[in-house]
Amino acid sequence: GVPGPAGTGLGAYGGLYNSTAQTPAITTGGTFVQVVLDTALPSLDVTTGTSSITIAETGDYEITYNLDLTGTTADTYISAARVNGTTIAQSSTTQTSAGSGATFSTRLGNSAIVSLVAGDVVDLGITTSATPTGTTTINANGSAILTVKKLSD
């Protein structure tokens, strides 16, 4: 048959990840703090800043994130992608860390499709279900990552 037109790829995309370990300042259960994402991935028609991605084109986007955590005690963590500081409900994930002694770990991640408008700011938040009982570390070298991909107008 006759070949179809060449694809144009994604209309907009981008992402951020962490290059160094961090200890998020979670002091109150249920209160999200922003995850520090200090290294930009390739992007097109989005602006990556320190820990956030600003949308340039209105449309439907897939937002994906992953977090690898290590703690000194077992805590129940909640993570979510956020738009303009408001959590995206369908992106929220809850997981209790597992381990023994002084090393407990957990992995959180999710993906959601949402409608965004130009100027929206996307970031990644984390909290615990109750006041944390130990110290939490987000491991280094891409243990926290957030990406956006425009799917349609």
Side-chain angles (χ1 to χ4, degrees), residues 63-138:
I63 301 173
T64 303
Y65 70 87
N66 284 295
L67 281 168
D68 289 327
L69 310 172
T70 303
T72 56
T73 59
D75 281 306
T76 299
Y77 295 95
I78 305 163
S79 61
R82 305 184 303 176
V83 175
N84 303 323
T86 301
T87 60
I88 302 168
Q90 64 269 33
S91 78
S92 183
T93 300
T94 302
Q95 181 72 37
T96 300
S97 56
S100 62
T103 305
F104 293 81
S105 61
T106 191
R107 174 174 273 173
L108 299 153
N110 210 334
S111 180
I113 297 174
V114 297
S115 295
L116 300 173
V117 299
D120 278 347
V121 177
V122 179
D123 71 354
L124 181 57
I126 186 171
T127 189
T128 51
S129 62
T131 300
T133 58
T135 301
T136 301
T137 301
I138 298 173

